[in-house]
Amino acid sequence: AQKITQTQPGMFVQEKEAVTLDCTYDTSDPSYGLFWYKQPSSGEMIFLIYQGSYDQQNATEGRYSLNFQKARKSANLVISASQLGDSAMYFCAMRDPGTDKLIFGTGTRLQVFP
Amino acid sequence: EAQVTQNPRYLITVTGKKLTVTCSQNMNHEYMSWYRQDPGLGLRQIYYSMNVEVTDKGDVPEGYKVSRKEKRNFPLILESPSPNQTSLYFCASSVGHLAYEQYFGPGTRLTVT
C-alpha cells in the first residue's frame, strides 16, 4: 500500500536560513507524483511544488526546491532563505495513479523565528 | 478567478441532524474529492469522483454520502452526524491527470455535539 512518512512533527529555523523538511514514500507503482502543500494558521491548503517520478531533474519553484532521491524513496522539501511567513504546517503527498487520490503524510509544523 | 468554494465555512450541529456541505469549482475539472483533516493524521480521502455520475469511496467513507450530478458541484452529505465526524473538511478538484495539483477549497470546520 502506498504511504507517505514525515518523521519531523516540528522544526524550528531562523529567518534567512535554509531548512529541509523530510518526506519518504512507499509505492510499487513506477508512475507517481509527489506534492508539497503548505497550510498556514488560516487553514487553507496551498500547493507549493510537484515532482513526477520520471522527472530527471529536481523540481524548483522560487525559494522551494524538492530534493528527489528515487532510489531512497525520499522527496525532501528545501526552503531557502526562510521568512517569517513560512511558519506553517507542511504536508508531503503522493498521487495514486489509479484513483488520483492524494495520500498525505502527517505533516511537519515549521516555525521561523527572527 | 479560478477557485473551489465550500459552504458553510463553520458549522456546529447536533448528533443525528442531517447536513450538507456544498462544494463548487469553476475550472471545469473532471476530478473532485473530499478529505477530512484530523490532528496527527494528516488529510484522509472520504470520497472522490472522476467525472459526472462517477463516484467512489476513499479511505474513510463511513457515515458520508456524495453525489455528482453536475461537473462543477460535489456536495458532501452527512445523513446522521456523530461526534467522531467533528473535523476540518476540504473539497478539492483537479484535471484528471497524475501530474496536476489538486486545488483545495477553504475548508469547512464541522463540530458535532
Side-chain angles (χ1 to χ4, degrees):
Chain A
Q2 284 134 336
K3 187 178 180 182
I4 293 282
T5 302
Q6 294 181 256
T7 57
Q8 306 156 314
M11 290 283 286
F12 287 89
V13 65
Q14 191 166 30
E15 203 176 5
K16 299 179 185 177
E17 297 293 311
V19 63
T20 297
L21 306 183
D22 293 342
C23 172
T24 58
Y25 59 92
D26 190 18
T27 181
S28 56
D29 286 306
S31 178
Y32 50 88
L34 295 160
F35 300 80
W36 278 91
Y37 284 84
K38 172 184 178 182
Q39 186 179 41
S41 58
S42 51
E44 71 268 30
M45 296 290 288
I46 302 167
F47 165 73
L48 295 178
I49 197 166
Y50 164 80
Q51 180 83 45
S53 59
Y54 293 118
D55 293 343
Q56 295 296 313
Q57 293 188 324
N58 287 344
T60 60
E61 290 286 348
R63 293 186 298 111
Y64 305 108
S65 61
L66 202 152
N67 184 0
F68 182 46
Q69 297 187 44
K70 196 169 182 177
R72 298 181 62 185
K73 293 189 175 179
S74 74
N76 299 339
L77 177 70
V78 181
I79 305 174
S80 62
S82 298
Q83 301 172 356
L84 295 177
D86 293 334
S87 294
M89 196 76 169
Y90 289 81
F91 289 98
C92 180
M94 178 168 60
R95 196 151 185 186
D96 180 327
T99 64
D100 275 342
K101 173 172 65 176
L102 275 180
I103 300 158
F104 284 84
T106 52
T108 296
R109 183 169 298 282
L110 176 67
Q111 295 191 50
V112 181
F113 60 93
Chain B
E1 179 191 354
Q3 60 182 351
V4 179
T5 56
Q6 293 178 230
N7 282 292
R9 295 287 314 278
Y10 303 90
L11 180 60
I12 300 174
T13 189
V14 296
T15 299
K17 186 176 180 181
K18 181 179 179 180
L19 66 92
T20 299
V21 184
T22 64
C23 173
S24 184
Q25 52 93 3
N26 62 1
M27 295 168 280
N28 203 36
H29 286 164
E30 296 91 2
Y31 184 89
M32 296 186 75
S33 180
W34 277 101
Y35 298 88
R36 61 176 288 174
Q37 182 180 9
D38 302 291
L41 296 178
L43 281 79
R44 294 175 293 167
Q45 190 181 50
I46 303 170
Y47 268 95
Y48 66 97
S49 170
M50 295 274 201
N51 215 323
V52 177
E53 301 292 0
V54 180
T55 63
D56 211 341
K57 295 177 181 178
D59 294 322
V60 288
E62 294 78 21
Y64 304 95
K65 285 176 59 177
V66 293
S67 68
R68 187 92 182 270
K69 294 185 171 59
E70 305 164 285
K71 199 171 187 178
R72 64 183 293 127
N73 296 323
F74 190 46
L76 179 70
I77 303 156
L78 285 72
E79 294 269 2
S80 183
S82 62
N84 64 14
Q85 292 179 297
T86 292
S87 188
L88 177 59
Y89 291 86
F90 287 99
C91 179
S93 75
S94 74
V95 174
H97 186 277
L98 190 66
Y100 290 87
E101 75 268 25
Q102 294 192 8
Y103 292 81
F104 283 80
T108 294
R109 188 165 292 281
L110 172 66
T111 301
V112 183
T113 61

